[in-house]
Amino acid sequence: MASNNKFQPQVRTQSQIVAKAIGRLRRKYQHHIYAVGVTLIVAGQTMPAHAFGLFDPTQIALT
């Protein structure tokens, strides 16, 4: 007979608790995370100079 630990209390480590909380947040905000990532990629490709700060007023003043 295989042992069944369904009725034994589980002891979770701190990292397991944190991983579970991060997983819940990821599932909850998954679409928002994807939207922000896509926006950053599109903005970085349409304005590469701004993405690297090449037109930063401070940098222009120093050149």
Side-chain angles (χ1 to χ4, degrees), residues 1-2 5 8 10-11 17-18 22 25-27 29-30 33 37-40 43 48 50-52 60:
M1 181 178 207
N5 62 359
Q8 294 176 356
Q10 290 183 343
V11 178
I17 294 169
V18 171
I22 290 173
L25 286 174
R26 185 194 63 81
R27 281 192 302 274
Y29 296 109
Q30 184 174 9
I33 293 169
V38 169
T39 303
L40 289 174
H50 293 283
F52 292 108
I60 292 172

Side-chain angles (χ1 to χ4, degrees), residues 44 47-63:
M47 299 186 304
H50 293 283
F52 292 108
L54 296 177
F55 294 129
D56 187 16
T58 306
Q59 208 165 19
I60 292 172
L62 292 175
T63 55

Side-chain angles (χ1 to χ4, degrees), residues 32-44:
H32 301 289
I33 293 169
Y34 287 155
V36 169
V38 169
T39 303
L40 289 174
I41 290 170
V42 170

